[in-house]
Amino acid sequence: MGTYKIVTYGCQMNVHESEKLAAILKGQGYSPVDRAEEADVVVFNTCCVRENAERRAEGNIGALKNLKAERPDLILAVCGCMTQQKGRAEALLKKFPFVDIVFGTYNIDEFGLYLQRRRGGEKKVLQLWEKEGPIDESVGYDRSGGVHAYVNIMYGCNNFCSYCIVPYVRGRERSRKSVDILREVKALLDGGIREITLLGQNVNSYGQDLTGEPEFPELLEQVGDLPGKFRVRFMTSHPKDLNERVVRVLAKSPNLCNSIHLPVQSGSSEILRRMNRRYTAEDYLAKVDMIRSALPECALTTDIMVGFPGEREEDFADTLKLVERVRFDSAFTFVYSPRKGTPAAGMPDQIPPAVKKRRITELVALQNRISEQKAAALIGQTVEVLADGEDLKKKGFLCGRTEGGRLVSFRGDPALLGQFVSVRIQAAGLSALRGEVV
Ligand code: SAH
Ligand code: SF4
Ligand code: F3S
């Protein structure tokens, strides 16, 4: 019938939800194209976690103004976290009156309906729910990750870290039933998927909102115990909730990757307190020690922020100290961005941009040095890689990831795609390793 293009911003949650939007579009007979210019329907699935995510989305929506003027039949839809903020959808429509459909994060399952209404002649479809609804298991996903698949185990967040907009745009925690999760994972494995990432804003509180459901460590164990050889990852773990039971399950079950993403945010206990993270730097280090004593090989990755209101030079120095102490395998580093409606946005002592810039540069340089050293330590080792694609930059090479999540490029036959291969590492860089199949 027609064609579509989905433009996605933000986290894995959004990437996965775009797979749902794709399934809905395909269900109505649309097929994907690479460029908005060739599409009959363009969907922007937005993020608002930092200001630059919103700016980028707005820039790209604005850029379609002329296209829409040339082709009034083109349907433009905007959804996701940005539109779910109070009053934001209306403001967006005022700024971009040529947008046809706007909806939020709670009613994504209804996108098909909105599309039909627009095609049926309704000029504008603006649909936002104030609150989250029950979980709908009836809408499927059109997955795009090759042998890798995302599986949602819960939605929403109850933590209200003082800088973060997510709880306001994703609602309270809702867990899926474990039978639904297990059924989905099993079907994916039967269909040839070899790596599953379980998704939630705080996976460690899985099941707390339901009765008679397993808690996260049990769920993880049940997923890992499904038949066959495959990999399971999960994100994100909140440091206050990650416990020894999870680590014991990881140690025991061979299908569970020894790899934990554990966002620390800051190395200063005073900043952590004002972030409402509910752990201190010492608590965090104790968790790291606990993980490393049970699982010495476990990869650890993190998120770190600089420039939170009131962050003094001493606080920032504490962050650098923590980074040196833990030696993360890699880290996502961010500059604090005030989000309207969150407590931190109204706190005194907002940090000037120049100071934020200096701090982020210093932090990135330190983490890059550590990441490089950790990568270099792998040279000469043989690691297991799940071959998941061709290396587009190097003819005859495939790429894949190690259990710890590092990218590896190696010469190999495309017949190896989807398989676990042993690769000896020969060279290491910041973004990727190179090796040979052994
Ligand atoms: N639920 C996850 C991820 C949330 S968003 C967690 O708790 O870790 C991903 C990361 O974005 C956060 O870990 C944080 O480092 C960063 N982030 C969130 N709000 C931010 C803000 N206002 N400014 C800058 N970075 C932010
Ligand atoms: Fe945001 Fe904190 Fe929830 Fe993560 S745990 S989504 S940082 S409020
Ligand atoms: Fe994700 Fe951005 Fe929303 S990080 S949950 S898409 S605000």
Side-chain angles (χ1 to χ4, degrees):
M1 170 165 125
T3 54
Y4 73 84
K5 166 76 185 166
I6 302 172
V7 187
T8 309
Y9 305 87
C11 63
Q12 291 83 0
M13 201 70 80
N14 254 22
V15 171
H16 186 37
E17 279 173 358
S18 285
E19 297 176 333
K20 184 175 262 189
L21 298 170
I24 292 170
L25 282 156
K26 282 193 175 169
Q28 296 198 8
Y30 290 93
S31 49
V33 287
D34 287 335
R35 296 173 35 187
E37 287 72 16
E38 302 156 13
D40 299 306
V41 179
V42 181
V43 189
F44 292 93
N45 190 9
T46 62
C47 169
C48 57
V49 78
R50 283 169 291 276
E51 193 191 346
N52 56 10
E54 292 203 77
R55 251 204 320 258
R56 271 201 351 260
E58 287 208 343
N60 291 342
I61 296 167
L64 292 191
K65 185 176 175 186
N66 290 343
L67 192 69
K68 175 75 178 175
E70 283 163 28
R71 286 170 38 205
D73 287 346
L74 171 68
I75 298 180
L76 294 182
V78 184
C79 65
C81 293
M82 183 164 114
T83 58
Q84 191 64 54
Q85 297 168 91
K86 239 191 180 57
R88 195 70 168 83
E90 291 77 6
L92 205 74
L93 272 181
K94 214 164 176 183
K95 193 161 176 184
F96 306 111
F98 51 90
V99 168
D100 299 277
I101 305 175
V102 182
F103 57 106
T105 58
Y106 303 139
N107 51 345
I108 184 165
D109 296 318
E110 305 218 323
F111 172 50
L113 202 68
Y114 307 149
L115 199 55
Q116 278 168 349
R117 276 170 45 189
R118 177 65 188 86
R119 276 206 314 269
E122 217 172 300
K123 279 239 140 20
K124 287 263 173 273
V125 183
L126 170 64
Q127 284 285 325
L128 281 142
W129 292 2
E130 284 272 314
K131 267 175 73 72
E132 57 273 30
I135 295 176
D136 184 346
E137 292 285 347
S138 68
V139 187
Y141 295 90
D142 180 59
R143 285 185 164 84
S144 56
V147 291
H148 171 267
Y150 289 120
V151 172
N152 244 128
I153 64 168
M154 60 192 299
Y155 302 88
C157 180
N158 290 355
N159 287 316
F160 290 94
C161 302
S162 62
Y163 50 82
C164 184
I165 190 96
V166 172
Y168 304 89
V169 294
R170 290 274 174 178
R172 296 296 67 71
E173 288 175 0
R174 289 97 73 203
S175 303
R176 288 176 71 196
K177 290 207 178 77
S178 60
V179 284
D180 292 324
I181 297 167
L182 289 163
R183 188 186 305 122
E184 183 176 8
V185 174
K186 192 159 183 321
L188 289 168
L189 296 173
D190 289 345
I193 292 291
R194 287 291 159 262
E195 184 170 309
I196 304 274
T197 302
L198 304 176
L199 288 182
Q201 295 298 347
N202 179 17
V203 291
N204 297 99
S205 54
Y206 170 80
Q208 311 277 308
D209 55 315
L210 302 174
T211 45
E213 288 295 324
E215 292 186 13
F216 183 62
E218 288 76 50
L219 176 76
L220 197 55
E221 189 166 16
Q222 290 171 20
V223 173
D225 283 348
L226 288 169
K229 176 174 168 59
F230 57 96
R231 279 179 177 171
V232 183
R233 304 181 188 281
F234 54 91
M235 67 192 312
T236 299
S237 283
H238 195 300
K240 76 178 163 53
D241 296 323
L242 179 90
N243 58 30
E244 265 177 308
R245 282 164 56 215
V246 172
V247 177
R248 273 203 299 273
V249 172
L250 288 191
K252 195 170 83 182
S253 172
N255 283 336
L256 305 180
C257 289
N258 286 347
S259 175
I260 300 179
H261 184 63
L262 199 63
V264 64
Q265 312 299 356
S266 168
S268 153
S269 295
E270 172 56 18
I271 295 293
L272 288 168
R273 188 184 64 73
R274 283 193 278 130
M275 285 178 165
N276 193 30
R277 290 290 285 179
R278 287 172 278 178
Y279 55 85
T280 62
E282 293 70 36
D283 297 335
Y284 186 89
L285 290 171
K287 292 256 158 126
V288 169
D289 290 343
M290 181 272 286
I291 295 166
R292 289 199 166 142
S293 67
L295 289 172
E297 299 296 311
C298 191
L300 268 182
T301 57
T302 200
D303 295 349
I304 312 171
M305 201 187 296
V306 301
F308 185 81
E311 184 185 65
R312 301 160 307 168
E313 289 305 325
E314 303 91 282
D315 297 311
F316 176 60
D318 285 343
T319 296
L320 295 178
K321 212 161 73 195
L322 184 137
V323 168
E324 296 216 47
R325 157 89 202 277
V326 178
R327 294 180 59 82
F328 294 105
D329 291 83
S330 68
F332 294 108
T333 48
F334 305 108
V335 170
Y336 167 73
S337 165
R339 305 284 66 209
K340 214 169 142 209
T342 63
M347 286 180 186
D349 297 327
Q350 299 284 329
I351 305 297
V355 175
K356 287 180 173 168
K357 189 148 181 248
R358 173 172 54 74
R359 289 182 185 164
I360 192 81
T361 309
E362 212 175 313
L363 175 64
V364 168
L366 170 62
Q367 181 54 46
N368 282 353
R369 211 156 56 229
I370 295 169
S371 299
E372 255 165 3
Q373 287 165 356
K374 290 211 135 188
L378 292 170
I379 293 174
Q381 290 191 26
T382 297
V383 295
E384 185 180 70
V385 175
L386 173 57
D388 63 5
E390 295 189 39
D391 187 336
L392 299 176
K393 282 185 262 156
K394 247 178 148 175
K395 215 170 147 31
F397 278 66
L398 303 179
C399 52
R401 287 190 189 271
T402 65
E403 180 172 350
R406 278 189 194 274
L407 193 61
V408 185
S409 165
F410 54 97
R411 187 181 292 285
D413 193 296
L416 291 176
L417 288 176
Q419 293 187 30
F420 291 95
V421 263
S422 290
V423 175
R424 187 166 44 235
I425 302 303
Q426 296 167 308
L430 193 54
S431 57
L433 308 169
R434 196 164 43 72
E436 59 175 358
V437 179
V438 289

